[in-house]
Each structure stands twice: as C-alpha cells, then as structure tokens.
Amino acid sequence: QVRLVESGGGSVQAGESLRLSCRVSGFTPRLYCMAWFRQAPGKVRERVAVIADDGETFSADSVEGRFFISRDSSKNTLDLEMNGLKPEDTAKYYCATRPRSTSCRVFGTPDFTAWGQGTQVTVSA
C-alpha cells in the first residue's frame, strides 16, 4: 500500500515561488503516474501536473511554463516547483499516484488510487 505525505505549502505574495514535496512510501509499481492536483474552495479538484515512470510530464495550461513536476526515485519524493505564483493558484494541493498501462495524459482525478492529505498554498495579491 502506498502512503503519500505532502509538505511545503504556505502563504506567499503574488510573483513569489514555492516548492512542494511529497514523500512516497510503500509499494510503487514499475509503471506508474504520479501527479499533483489542487482544489480551491467551491471548485472541482483539477490535475496540475503529472509525471510517468519514464519521465514524461504533462502540465495544465494554466500552469504551463510556471510549475514544474519532478520525481527523485532515490529519495522517493515527488516535487512541484511553483514560480510566478498568482492569487488564482490558491488551493489545497494534493499528490496522488496510480499504476499505468498507457500514457499518463489520459488519467484524471477519479482515476488516481492513492492520495496524500494535502497542503495549503495561499497567494495574496
């Protein structure tokens, strides 16, 4: 069973940067997708970025060029570097994972099977 624990959230001013980290423990399949999601109050949870075991990444249009997902297998961590933060980035951020048999591009919120508890990111104008 996989366990995911996020850290690194906080409150920042618009334009600043934050780095989120997700510590992964337990069984990880050879083929997998790991992703960051976010959910703002009153909104649906959305996928921010996803990375596959082979390093292929996909990012949401709203964060393309500002947020970067990475995986350090030696440390069992999943990171999200967030630059140029905007007030609309304010949300609770979650890491999640699932096995894969195809490209991670196709998997959305309901497809992920293991989730962390989330970490809050607040960006003020």
Side-chain angles (χ1 to χ4, degrees), residues 59-86:
S59 298
D61 290 344
S62 59
V63 304
E64 186 71 45
R66 297 190 299 125
F67 290 15
F68 301 94
I69 189 170
S70 61
R71 169 96 166 106
D72 188 333
S73 298
S74 65
K75 298 180 180 179
N76 287 332
T77 59
L78 175 72
D79 293 335
L80 185 68
E81 181 72 29
M82 305 186 295
N83 302 310
L85 283 160
K86 304 175 182 180

Side-chain angles (χ1 to χ4, degrees), residues 11 16-17 26-27 38 41 46 55 64 70 80 82 86 91 100 106 112-113 116 120:
S11 297
E16 294 183 343
S17 299
F27 174 72
R38 66 185 181 186
E46 63 172 348
E64 186 71 45
S70 61
L80 185 68
M82 305 186 295
K86 304 175 182 180
R100 74 175 184 95
V106 307
F112 281 75
T113 52
Q120 180 68 34

Side-chain angles (χ1 to χ4, degrees), residues 2 10 12 14 20 22 24 43 47 52-53 59 75 79 83 99 101 106 109 111 117 119:
V2 178
V12 297
L20 304 183
C22 175
V24 183
K43 295 190 176 181
R47 197 184 76 183
D53 50 275
S59 298
K75 298 180 180 179
D79 293 335
N83 302 310
S101 57
V106 307
T109 304
D111 301 314
Q117 83 290 346
T119 185

Side-chain angles (χ1 to χ4, degrees), residues 79-116:
D79 293 335
L80 185 68
E81 181 72 29
M82 305 186 295
N83 302 310
L85 283 160
K86 304 175 182 180
E88 51 263 44
D89 295 319
T90 294
K92 195 165 187 179
Y93 284 70
Y94 301 85
C95 62
T97 187
R98 63 153 290 138
R100 74 175 184 95
S101 57
T102 185
S103 171
C104 294
R105 178 191 293 272
V106 307
F107 297 121
T109 304
D111 301 314
F112 281 75
T113 52
W115 293 83

